[in-house]
Amino acid sequence: MDFILNPFVTLLTFLYSVFANNMLLAIVVFTIIVRLLTYPLTAQQMRSSQAMQKLQPELKKLQEKHKGDREKMSQEQMRLYREYGINPLGGCLPLLIQFPIFISLYQAIIHSLAATPMQLLDLSGRLLIPGLDSNIPLKNTMLGLNLTQPPVISGFDLSSIVGIVLVVLVVATTWLQFKVTMPAQPPAEDGKPNQAQSMTQSMGTIMPLMYGFFALSFSIGISVYFIASNIVGILQYALMGRANFGNIFGRGGGAKAPGSAVAATSSTPANGAVPTKIQGKASKPRAANGKGKPTERASKTK
Amino acid sequence: MKNTTFLKRRLLLIGAAVLLLTAAACVGGPTEATWGQISLIGDPANILFAYNDRIVLIDPADGSPVELRDSNGNIRVDDQGNPRVWQVTGASNTPVLFYTAPIAVEDGTMLTASYNQKLFEVDLAAARITNPEGRSVPGHVVAVPLATEEFVYVPLSEGDLTAYSLPELDEVWTLETTHGVWSEPLLVDEVLYVTSLDHHLYAVDPETGDERWTLDLGGAIASTPVYSDGYLYVGSFGRKIFKISTGGEIVAQYDTNDWVWNSPVLVDGVLYAADLGGYVYALEDNGTSFTPVWQPRKVADRAIRALPLVIDNAIIVGSRDRNAYWINRATGEEIFHREMVGEILANPVLLEPSESLNISEPIVIVSTMSNEELLVAFSVGEGQRLWRYGR
């Protein structure tokens, strides 16, 4: 991981010196830069997951049709994926590539703040630009808070109030990001939430609370990263036209298609119809035989 | 029916998450191991080794723990009748973490500083802490405090150096720095020299803490200056080694390849130092400049934090690459190296031959971060492994 971590530590230290030794600002800008650099991967992941989402009704029909015949079911699934030019692993790969990057981003903040003797020792040799050594150790206190320590909430003093605000912001932005980036799922035919919706709603409650707990346990610097990362994530979705703000007010389910930009290009409602344009590349559904002739089903959707 | 299932699933999920969070909260974060410190105590000397959560006394002849004896010389036993060894640990409700060995403050009493912001008094004869709650200090302690007859100066890794009166341990004065003091202060001719990670060397009045002068060295300093003939020598994270007059003027400086964490060693007018890039230096002090006796040599693959140990013909350095190197003092060539189990970060200690200790040749004690080889004794001449102490 050093080949990712060391440039990140160098970049963070550089930003720290550029922003007049302001570690908070350095972490925020650092997070934005890394999120922008990984944007193509994020976009690919979003496209892929939304395409998969669109195919759900079709997949569900297949499941019902081939109940009990797994082999036939998987053959038909693959055929459907080929037909619409979808790689079923297309959403996982960008996620897998991003994973070490975001772990390194998190590690870079911990290493740069160097809260313990071993961390300070580990910091040596990670700075790839000569002259940045003069910034070491990075100033790790801001607004009376030690960025290397978890928030201490012990009363109504300034540091406690700032600590509470940070934790609340972490919870709120995590919740917001979850809601905004969650594709809407149509309810079951009986109008009740389906199983996937139910699980999603549970996650929407647990995840923000979990991050709130992390904010209380981890260093304040990491909380700043959580907040910045969540906000950038929301903005990225919004700028792509894929943010589902209706979800915030509980109007997401079935009211608006997941990835409205996709829906707009295909002029297809999200209530189970199959899109004709799922990914940028796959403007036309391809035939199962690969010769370019649309299948009957695909043609019908036009 | 379906709704009940959903509700159950949701409750199950939330329950699992709460359980996970509670478990995580109870376990807490991992405790970092310390590099510890070896010192010699008593006559004949025993090895006092403070590391992680304990302080132990080791027999230098064979590396065995020293048995705890009463005033009549009888071995003390514990509640189960087992013989007790000399070992000090913190109370169960007051966790301790030692980067530094205890220092003698009065007959039979030692003072030890824990990383966990506490000062403890240790009864040497009984091998126990006499103030189990400890005296709180406003910061972590990474470097050994300095004790005089009146004061103990405690360096704090978060910002300040605080002087406490002895034996009361009342705060007398505080020297504020912006980034912490990670080195033992040096007291010379009624001046206390303090280095800080805030890039400054401070010269202060040891009675009042009043600053006499400060000097910005352009990089963090984590080591104690070495004093010789009116000059101070110190290395920095700014990749430099400095010679500084006691008036606060830089007289000479030398560029290193990496951060210099530990103090240099001055022997016969030559300054020996090592850096975190694994380089070793031998610099002749020419008054206003340094001249390398041999070109800086990359000895180790990883950092050398420990103080170089200079003996007759060799320099012994320990590295994070888990090797102890014997370097030819005249040429800088490696003579041999000895591989060890753990990273070497603590300063090695030399033990001279002693009849009372049953040691016939000089030995060097090297400490590693591995519990398997906490201490290893080597013969200085041949590097023969004599004994090891582990857990």
Side-chain angles (χ1 to χ4, degrees):
Chain A
M1 291 281 274
D2 284 356
F3 71 100
I4 306 175
L5 182 56
N6 293 356
F8 276 14
V9 170
T10 306
L11 175 62
L12 186 56
T13 311
F14 174 73
L15 291 171
Y16 171 84
S17 63
V18 165
F19 292 113
N21 299 353
N22 187 324
M23 195 59 190
L24 271 181
L25 206 51
I27 291 174
V28 171
V29 175
F30 174 62
T31 308
I32 292 169
I33 289 173
V34 175
R35 291 292 300 238
L36 287 178
L37 288 175
T38 56
Y39 174 74
L41 293 168
T42 313
Q44 165 68 20
Q45 186 198 337
M46 273 191 267
R47 277 196 297 268
S48 189
S49 66
Q50 282 172 351
M52 289 295 283
Q53 185 70 29
K54 292 265 182 188
L55 272 191
Q56 285 307 309
E58 285 290 301
L59 288 169
K60 202 174 173 187
K61 280 179 194 166
L62 282 180
Q63 275 170 350
E64 281 164 11
K65 191 176 171 185
H66 302 291
K67 217 174 193 177
D69 187 352
R70 281 193 172 186
E71 199 179 334
K72 183 71 182 164
M73 165 72 198
S74 57
Q75 277 175 0
E76 286 295 305
Q77 265 186 349
M78 290 313 293
R79 186 190 58 75
L80 198 66
Y81 291 147
R82 274 200 305 273
E83 197 175 316
Y84 290 100
I86 294 174
N87 179 357
L89 298 177
C92 300
L93 195 63
L95 196 69
L96 283 176
I97 297 170
Q98 285 178 76
F99 204 63
I101 295 173
F102 287 118
I103 296 262
S104 298
L105 190 147
Y106 170 87
Q107 288 284 335
I109 293 170
I110 291 181
H111 274 84
S112 304
L113 289 172
T116 67
M118 287 304 287
Q119 283 170 357
L120 185 60
L121 195 61
D122 278 333
L123 190 55
S124 71
R126 294 199 183 277
L127 298 175
L128 307 176
I129 300 175
L132 286 179
D133 309 287
S134 58
N135 294 296
I136 302 299
L138 307 188
K139 190 180 166 197
N140 52 29
T141 51
M142 290 293 297
L143 305 169
L145 295 171
N146 185 338
L147 297 178
T148 67
Q149 303 294 320
V152 179
I153 298 166
S154 58
F156 287 100
D157 54 7
L158 181 66
S159 65
S160 293
I161 292 165
V162 177
I164 291 167
V165 168
L166 264 178
V167 175
V168 169
L169 278 175
V170 168
V171 173
T173 56
T174 308
W175 180 81
L176 263 178
Q177 193 194 19
F178 188 87
K179 287 286 180 185
V180 165
T181 60
M182 213 50 231
Q185 287 166 337
E189 282 166 9
D190 57 3
K192 290 173 184 168
N194 62 31
Q195 194 173 332
Q197 267 183 310
S198 177
M199 293 285 278
T200 305
Q201 281 169 9
S202 301
M203 287 302 291
T205 312
I206 293 166
M207 264 185 60
L209 290 178
M210 206 161 79
Y211 273 84
F213 176 79
F214 290 158
L216 282 169
S217 315
F218 295 169
S219 63
I220 289 167
I222 295 301
S223 295
V224 173
Y225 155 64
F226 284 155
I227 296 166
S229 183
N230 288 340
I231 292 172
V232 174
I234 294 167
L235 288 177
Q236 275 184 342
Y237 264 75
L239 290 173
M240 286 176 75
R242 289 191 162 99
N244 196 355
F245 289 104
N247 266 349
I248 299 171
F249 309 104
R251 292 189 280 105
K256 185 182 177 186
S260 53
V262 175
T265 51
S266 61
S267 306
T268 308
N271 56 3
V274 178
T276 54
K277 188 174 182 181
I278 290 167
Q279 287 179 302
K281 287 190 287 184
S283 58
K284 219 182 214 183
R286 282 178 288 157
N289 62 10
K291 288 180 182 171
K293 189 180 175 188
T295 61
E296 192 182 343
R297 190 198 336 262
S299 300
K300 277 181 184 172
T301 61
K302 281 194 171 181
Chain B
M1 182 68 187
K2 213 170 180 181
N3 271 346
T4 318
T5 314
F6 287 152
L7 193 66
K8 276 182 185 171
R9 278 175 201 273
R10 193 177 292 184
L11 283 174
L12 195 71
L13 258 173
I14 292 172
V18 169
L19 201 70
L20 185 79
L21 298 180
T22 312
C26 292
V27 170
T31 305
E32 192 172 85
T34 69
W35 48 69
Q37 188 181 17
I38 312 167
S39 64
L40 301 175
I41 182 173
D43 188 18
N46 281 312
I47 299 164
L48 190 66
F49 180 44
Y51 71 100
N52 297 344
D53 61 347
R54 63 197 61 202
I55 306 165
V56 291
L57 206 55
I58 302 295
D59 186 338
D62 58 8
S64 62
V66 171
E67 289 159 334
L68 187 63
R69 294 172 184 271
D70 62 21
S71 53
N72 298 320
N74 300 315
I75 297 172
R76 293 190 182 188
V77 292
D78 61 18
D79 295 342
Q80 279 80 43
N82 300 315
R84 281 184 61 193
V85 294
W86 200 104
Q87 177 173 282
V88 170
T89 53
S92 56
N93 59 344
T94 315
V96 291
L97 202 57
F98 297 115
Y99 278 89
T100 62
I103 50 168
V105 286
E106 55 182 291
D107 276 352
T109 303
M110 301 192 87
L111 194 69
T112 189
S114 167
Y115 182 72
N116 315 62
Q117 310 191 10
K118 298 274 184 181
L119 292 178
F120 296 101
E121 287 171 347
V122 178
D123 181 338
L124 200 53
R128 68 181 181 88
I129 289 173
T130 55
N131 59 336
E133 295 300 315
R135 199 275 187 226
S136 293
V137 292
H140 297 100
V141 185
V142 180
V144 66
L146 172 73
T148 62
E149 286 186 357
E150 283 180 89
F151 303 107
V152 59
Y153 304 99
V154 183
L156 304 172
S157 71
E158 274 82 29
D160 305 331
L161 177 118
T162 304
Y164 296 94
S165 64
L166 282 174
E168 303 85 5
L169 293 180
D170 291 332
E171 186 178 327
V172 182
W173 54 258
T174 291
L175 170 72
E176 289 183 6
T177 78
T178 51
H179 269 306
V181 182
W182 287 46
S183 60
E184 181 183 7
L186 172 74
L187 185 60
V188 178
D189 298 334
E190 297 301 309
V191 179
L192 194 69
Y193 297 99
V194 182
T195 62
S196 169
L197 292 192
D198 73 3
H199 303 187
H200 287 84
L201 169 63
Y202 296 84
V204 300
D205 186 314
E207 298 283 329
T208 62
D210 293 338
E211 288 178 25
R212 296 196 176 170
W213 52 260
T214 62
L215 181 63
D216 188 346
L217 294 178
I221 316 156
S223 59
T224 305
V226 171
Y227 175 82
S228 179
D229 293 334
Y231 295 99
L232 302 159
Y233 301 85
V234 71
S236 83
F237 289 7
R239 301 176 192 232
K240 285 186 192 299
I241 293 171
F242 295 95
K243 178 182 180 180
I244 300 156
S245 73
T246 49
E249 300 286 329
I250 296 173
V251 178
Q253 54 183 293
Y254 184 84
D255 290 340
T256 58
N257 288 289
D258 212 315
W259 301 2
V260 180
W261 188 299
N262 219 318
S263 307
V265 177
L266 191 64
V267 179
D268 301 333
V270 177
L271 205 62
Y272 298 93
D275 71 22
L276 297 190
Y279 283 84
V280 176
Y281 305 82
L283 307 172
E284 193 173 349
D285 179 3
N286 296 325
T288 55
S289 66
F290 292 113
T291 309
V293 176
W294 28 266
Q295 283 309 303
R297 189 170 295 276
K298 186 164 172 65
V299 170
D301 289 335
R302 295 192 68 194
I304 302 175
R305 193 215 79 94
L307 194 74
L309 186 66
V310 182
I311 51 174
D312 290 344
N313 303 315
I315 311 157
I316 302 172
V317 289
S319 164
R320 288 194 81 185
D321 69 6
R322 300 165 193 234
N323 286 295
Y325 296 89
W326 271 248
I327 312 294
N328 187 313
R329 235 179 105 179
T331 65
E333 301 282 344
E334 179 185 321
I335 304 170
F336 56 81
H337 68 268
R338 294 292 174 259
E339 199 174 332
M340 302 181 74
V341 175
E343 295 179 10
I344 305 165
L345 292 171
N347 298 339
V349 166
L350 180 71
L351 265 171
E352 295 294 348
S354 157
E355 272 186 35
S356 57
L357 289 175
N358 198 22
I359 297 172
S360 57
E361 59 178 327
I363 63 172
V364 57
I365 314 292
V366 179
S367 162
T368 83
M369 298 284 284
S370 165
N371 277 345
E372 197 180 321
E373 274 187 350
L374 286 164
L375 296 174
V376 181
F378 294 100
S379 65
V380 163
E382 303 297 320
Q384 188 189 349
R385 192 181 278 252
L386 302 173
W387 54 255
R388 76 174 178 86
Y389 166 75
R391 268 166 72 187

